Amino acid sequence: MSSKTGAVDAVTVARLHQLYGRQSHLIDGGDASGWAQTFTDDGEFHSPSYPEPVSGTDALIAFAERFHTEARAANEVHRHVITNVVIDGAGDAATVRAYLQIVATSIGGESRLVRMTTFTDRVVLRGDRWRIARRDVRRDDTA
């Protein structure tokens, strides 16, 4: 990452894009443990779509397991589609803002947009891996 706040080098941008692509594939594919490992050990997930925040690896695993199980029970495949990624930061920490669409496809049926959101992540470099320390989700259908 560049030493200038806000200016992010191309390698960091690529690595963070890979993090978000990998994270989407992990939760959509049912790898709850892998998804949770994209967060720090004390990582936090805050979303108005769920009754309370989720914190820590065990709770994140359980959250991702429920997400995948509920999709399967509905006979649907869910996909997380992350776009318009903006990264600001310096050193071993950054803020990432992006759009997140969740699309559900009924097995043998049509696709529909479940929700459109914006998220803001605080990401940190741990060793040689970028991980999410905190995610705040804002639904587009709320004020």
Side-chain angles (χ1 to χ4, degrees):
M1 191 162 314
S2 169
S3 61
K4 196 167 96 176
T5 300
V8 181
D9 65 78
V11 171
T12 299
V13 170
R15 290 180 67 202
L16 286 169
H17 273 270
Q18 283 293 101
L19 168 68
Y20 290 109
R22 183 173 298 107
Q23 187 183 57
S24 294
H25 283 274
L26 290 167
I27 195 167
D28 295 340
D31 186 347
S33 179
W35 181 80
Q37 293 304 312
T38 65
F39 287 82
T40 59
D41 294 341
D42 60 349
E44 300 176 26
F45 180 93
H46 299 259
S47 172
S49 297
Y50 303 100
E52 55 190 54
V54 180
S55 298
T57 301
D58 291 341
L60 289 164
I61 290 170
F63 171 84
E65 286 172 342
R66 278 190 309 275
F67 182 87
H68 194 259
T69 299
E70 289 171 5
R72 291 294 179 211
N75 203 33
E76 295 179 334
V77 173
H78 287 190
R79 298 288 186 236
H80 288 72
V81 182
I82 297 173
T83 62
N84 298 57
V85 176
V86 175
I87 304 164
D88 293 300
D92 61 358
T95 299
V96 179
R97 292 176 294 127
Y99 298 151
L100 167 62
Q101 301 171 58
I102 300 177
V103 178
T105 303
S106 296
I107 304 300
E110 298 293 318
S111 297
R112 66 182 165 71
L113 180 64
V114 174
R115 62 185 154 269
M116 184 74 187
T117 68
T118 301
F119 69 77
T120 302
D121 283 355
R122 183 170 48 85
V123 296
V124 293
L125 191 58
R126 294 286 189 255
D128 64 346
R129 288 182 46 209
W130 284 98
R131 296 175 74 187
I132 299 162
R134 181 182 172 116
R135 171 167 290 165
D136 288 291
V137 178
R138 191 178 72 247
R139 290 178 59 129
D140 286 2
D141 61 350
T142 59

